[in-house]
Amino acid sequence: MTVDDTGSGADGDGRVDPEPAPDSADPGEDPLALRLEGLILGAERRYTPFQAARSAGVSMELASRFWRAMGFADIGQAKALTEADVLALRRLAGLVEAGLLSEAMAVQVARSTGQTTARLAEWQIDSFLEGLTEPPEPGMTRTEVTYPIVELLLPELQEFLVYVWRRQLAASAGRVIQAGDDEEMVDRRLAVGFADLVGFTRLTRRMEEEELGELVEAFETTSADLVAARGGRLVKTLGDEVLYAADDAGTAAEIALLLVETMAHDETMPELRVGIAFGTVTTRMGDVFGTTVNLASRLTSIAPKDAVLVDSAFAEELIRTGDAPASEAAAAAEKEGEEPPVYRFALQPMWQRPVRGLGVVEPWLLTRRGDGGGEA
């Protein structure tokens, strides 16, 4: 939760000067909600924002920056913070004082953690807990079963969250360490792909909200599983679109074609189109930015239905790594040798065209070998 930074001061010996009386708790606040909050936080409300900042030994300004970065709402001077809030402030400030993080980086840590866990928490409450807390017997209310369910689930979910985070941290650290030099640790050469459901806007006008939600969830779940299984990284989902990245072009190509093939076999899914580009990408807070990302997005918007378009740099990378022939003529000539290479993909050059904001680009149609591609 965020705070306002207008707290009162303290005298030289550390005693807090008189401050405005804390706002009283909302008399209409649900007692069960307060009990549930105490269970989840593991501590009772003890501090106003000013008191929490003083107890943590940080300025109100820095405390406000941290809380706002974590995405919590303003609470004025209500006594709503706990010992855990004080400890979190103290830890972040301690990392800054020790020189392990700059203040700006500590704020980024707070923001990235807050944004990621906020989405997770919303999903767990909206989908997971709602289903589990359906009253098991007539006459019981959901509130009567919520507390014991949360009490049982909380320690298990916490352990699982820490486990997954450590696994993801290890995987991410491994990718960074394998980078060729220090510059690649921030600005890396990656394959970036967008997969987009065709005609999704029209679907939103025809489908019921529940049906639409199920379709989006199925699309996101299937895409996430395919990307992970093939060694890519799901960057984010945008309802009708997913953005993924891969360290090499071959992996990104395999993911794109699998996505198209899988969705094509599902009669409930609209057609899919995918655009991929290869090049330098800037990574920040788990997201990717730069011209390469913009180009992948533009290629997706012009891709035919159930097809994959790639940029020339991506095509060159597939050719360089031996995943695709430079041309069908070259592939046929090589087959005359004793051990012809086995190509996984085919590339068909398309008409050059202007792309808004990026000038003229040369898209290539990506297919599997034997699918009829690459015969232009």
Side-chain angles (χ1 to χ4, degrees), residues 191-197 241-245 252-253 255-257 259-260 272-278 292-304 306-311 314 363-366:
V192 178
F194 278 93
D196 177 60
L197 293 175
E241 190 174 59
V242 297
L243 169 61
Y244 71 92
I255 290 170
L257 293 171
L259 284 170
V260 170
L272 191 72
R273 53 190 177 192
V274 183
I276 320 176
F278 186 85
T292 302
V293 181
N294 296 337
L295 179 54
S297 178
R298 298 288 189 272
L299 288 171
T300 306
S301 66
I302 63 175
D306 286 336
V308 181
L309 281 189
V310 304
D311 74 327
F314 187 92
W364 294 69
L365 182 67
L366 174 73

Side-chain angles (χ1 to χ4, degrees), residues 218-234 244 251 254-263 272:
F219 171 57
E220 291 184 351
T221 300
T222 301
S223 300
D225 288 348
L226 286 176
V227 170
R230 294 297 170 170
R233 179 171 67 88
L234 188 69
Y244 71 92
T251 297
E254 182 65 27
I255 290 170
L257 293 171
L258 274 175
L259 284 170
V260 170
E261 293 159 0
T262 302
M263 300 302 170
L272 191 72

Side-chain angles (χ1 to χ4, degrees), residues 57-329:
V58 302
S59 68
M60 273 299 301
E61 180 183 2
L62 184 57
S64 297
R65 290 187 67 196
F66 284 153
W67 274 314
R68 287 172 182 142
M70 285 185 279
F72 296 126
D74 236 341
I75 60 170
Q77 282 301 316
K79 185 174 283 188
L81 304 183
T82 72
E83 198 66 48
D85 296 302
V86 173
L87 182 58
L89 275 178
R90 193 175 293 149
R91 281 176 169 159
L92 275 176
L95 291 172
V96 175
E97 291 174 6
L100 295 172
L101 295 177
S102 66
E103 186 173 306
M105 182 60 70
V107 171
Q108 282 191 4
V109 168
R111 179 168 290 112
S112 61
T113 306
Q115 290 178 356
T116 302
T117 54
R119 185 179 181 188
L120 174 63
E122 288 288 343
W123 180 88
Q124 289 176 331
I125 294 299
D126 290 346
S127 303
F128 191 43
L129 286 182
E130 275 193 11
L132 286 177
T133 55
E134 284 292 337
E137 298 178 9
M140 292 187 69
T141 65
R142 174 174 278 131
T143 56
E144 289 176 316
V145 296
T146 296
Y147 190 94
I149 289 292
V150 172
E151 191 172 28
L152 290 171
L153 283 175
L154 190 62
E156 302 303 323
L157 292 177
Q158 177 175 308
E159 290 298 321
F160 186 69
L161 175 62
V162 173
Y163 155 74
V164 175
W165 170 70
R166 284 180 177 271
R167 268 290 179 186
Q168 293 286 6
L169 194 65
S172 183
R175 288 193 294 267
V176 171
I177 294 302
Q178 290 173 12
D181 53 46
D182 289 345
E183 287 186 3
E184 282 193 46
M185 290 189 179
V186 177
D187 297 321
R188 302 163 58 193
R189 286 180 62 78
L190 296 175
V192 178
F194 278 93
D196 177 60
L197 293 175
V198 179
F200 185 77
T201 302
R202 290 193 301 273
L203 282 176
T204 61
R205 293 194 288 264
R206 297 203 316 262
M207 298 179 71
E208 298 290 336
E209 287 185 7
E210 186 174 348
E211 289 180 302
L212 195 62
E214 290 175 355
L215 184 145
V216 168
E217 183 175 358
F219 171 57
E220 291 184 351
T221 300
T222 301
S223 300
D225 288 348
L226 286 176
V227 170
R230 294 297 170 170
R233 179 171 67 88
L234 188 69
V235 178
K236 59 185 174 184
T237 59
L238 303 169
D240 62 330
E241 190 174 59
V242 297
L243 169 61
Y244 71 92
D247 292 328
D248 63 273
T251 297
E254 182 65 27
I255 290 170
L257 293 171
L258 274 175
L259 284 170
V260 170
E261 293 159 0
T262 302
M263 300 302 170
H265 284 91
D266 188 339
E267 295 180 354
T268 66
M269 284 288 171
E271 294 94 343
L272 191 72
R273 53 190 177 192
V274 183
I276 320 176
F278 186 85
T280 301
V281 174
T282 298
T283 59
R284 289 288 187 277
M285 292 176 60
D287 208 343
V288 290
F289 307 92
T291 302
T292 302
V293 181
N294 296 337
L295 179 54
S297 178
R298 298 288 189 272
L299 288 171
T300 306
S301 66
I302 63 175
K305 296 177 181 179
D306 286 336
V308 181
L309 281 189
V310 304
D311 74 327
S312 56
F314 187 92
E316 290 170 5
E317 187 67 11
L318 282 182
I319 294 168
R320 185 188 70 80
T321 57
D323 284 313
S327 68
E328 289 301 302

